[in-house]
């Protein structure tokens, strides 16, 4: 791949979901090379390694736009934790102020940097495509399954603590025929108390369990309210042990409005990619 190296980047994570973030407003990485670049730079052990690649791009209608790629190079419509990292990156690099908006395939995202710069809150796109009468057999048990698109598609399954082999079951749910042709992310949810749930997510495009998933946390919190009687805000404990807070307004329909995802971000390191990172 012929690019002009070195390419500055930052490695960031949002509650354990990790990303390579690059200011691409000067087209350091042309569009036709971005998917291959994402696949190579996100390889763990062989390159930087990450769940996804975030490229900050110019926008004529918002403070900026982004191109987001999963670790396998596939395009993702939205990523909740990625959006929080992108917002902090843009603020730190003076692309915008502490309140901002940016374009994604899923729609316009609004974000705000907290008093503590590490804390970022984003207003998510409105959830749609609710499906509540599904079921799947996982090993020897039939589980009720719900589905919603919170920017990307998510299946939600409530389980007992420690009950789910996430990689095995997640792969089965992710590729199941009822979610064709696009597939789905799979969330295994345990109710901890009346205010908290624990969520483990198998992510489409990563093809493994990740330490956190913002859009999955939102989907899980919504169904915890609908089916478990919980009230907003709901704290979501992630696989990495950190917590996200989900705020939303649930109405009949179902209709869910004013969805916010809030939590910490971390800057792990800054560096410069050289050509050997893509070998």
């Amino acid at each position: 791949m012929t690019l002009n190296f070195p390419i500055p980047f930052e490695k960031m994570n949002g509650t354990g979901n990790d990303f390579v973030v690059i200011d691409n407003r000067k087209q350091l990485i042309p569009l036709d090379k971005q998917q291959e670049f994402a696949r190579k730079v996100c390889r763990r052990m062989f390159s930087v390694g990450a769940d996804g690649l975030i490229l900050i791009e110019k926008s004529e209608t918002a403070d900026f736009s982004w191109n987001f790629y999963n670790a396998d190079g596939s395009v993702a419509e939205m990523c909740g934790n990625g959006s929080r990292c992108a917002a902090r990156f843009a603020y730190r690099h003076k692309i915008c102020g502490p309140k901002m908006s940016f374009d994604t395939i899923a729609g316009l995202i609004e974000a705000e940097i907290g008093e503590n710069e590490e804390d970022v809150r984003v207003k998510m796109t409105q959830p749609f495509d609710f499906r509540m009468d599904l079921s799947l057999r996982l090993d020897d048990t039939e589980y009720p399954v719900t589905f919603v698109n919170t920017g990307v598609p998510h299946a939600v399954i409530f389980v007992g603590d420690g009950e789910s082999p996430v990689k095995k079951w997640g792969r089965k749910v992710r590729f199941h025929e009822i979610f064709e042709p696009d597939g789905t992310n799979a969330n295994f949810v345990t109710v901890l108390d009346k205010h908290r749930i624990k969520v483990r997510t198998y992510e489409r495009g990563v093809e493994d369990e990740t330490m956190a998933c913002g859009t999955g946390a939102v989907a899980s919190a919504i169904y915890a309210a609908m089916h478990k009687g919980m009230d907003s805000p709901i704290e979501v404990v992630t696989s990495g042990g950190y917590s996200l807070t989900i705020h939303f307004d649930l109405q009949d329909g179902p209709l869910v409005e004013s969805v916010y995802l809030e939590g910490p971000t971390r800057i792990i390191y800054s560096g410069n990619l050289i050509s050997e990172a893509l070998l």
Side-chain angles (χ1 to χ4, degrees), residues 108-181:
L108 188 71
I109 301 298
E110 298 176 7
E112 182 175 358
I113 307 298
E115 289 186 14
N116 176 351
E117 185 187 304
E118 297 177 1
D119 295 327
V120 182
R121 172 184 170 113
V122 295
K123 184 177 183 180
M124 307 288 284
T125 56
Q126 186 167 326
F128 66 97
D129 194 13
F130 289 87
R131 304 183 216 169
M132 292 175 281
D133 297 316
L134 306 174
S135 66
L136 287 176
R137 179 166 289 277
L138 300 172
D139 291 340
D140 297 325
T141 304
E142 194 79 15
Y143 285 89
V145 180
T146 52
F147 176 91
V148 65
N149 192 308
T150 54
V152 290
H154 279 280
V156 177
I157 302 171
F158 286 91
V159 297
D161 194 18
E163 182 177 348
S164 56
V166 173
K167 188 167 185 177
K168 176 185 175 183
W169 286 6
R171 185 173 179 82
K172 182 173 182 179
V173 175
R174 184 259 190 267
F175 289 104
H176 198 278
E177 61 184 8
I178 64 175
F179 302 117
E180 291 180 346

Side-chain angles (χ1 to χ4, degrees), residues 5-9 20 22 37 41 47-48 271-275 277-278:
F5 293 97
I7 297 174
F9 76 98
V20 175
I22 295 173
F37 181 90
V41 82
S47 191
V48 180
N272 290 286
L273 291 167
I274 62 173
S275 60
L278 306 185

Side-chain angles (χ1 to χ4, degrees), residues 14 22 49 61 65 81 181 219 233:
I22 295 173
T61 58
S65 66
N81 286 323

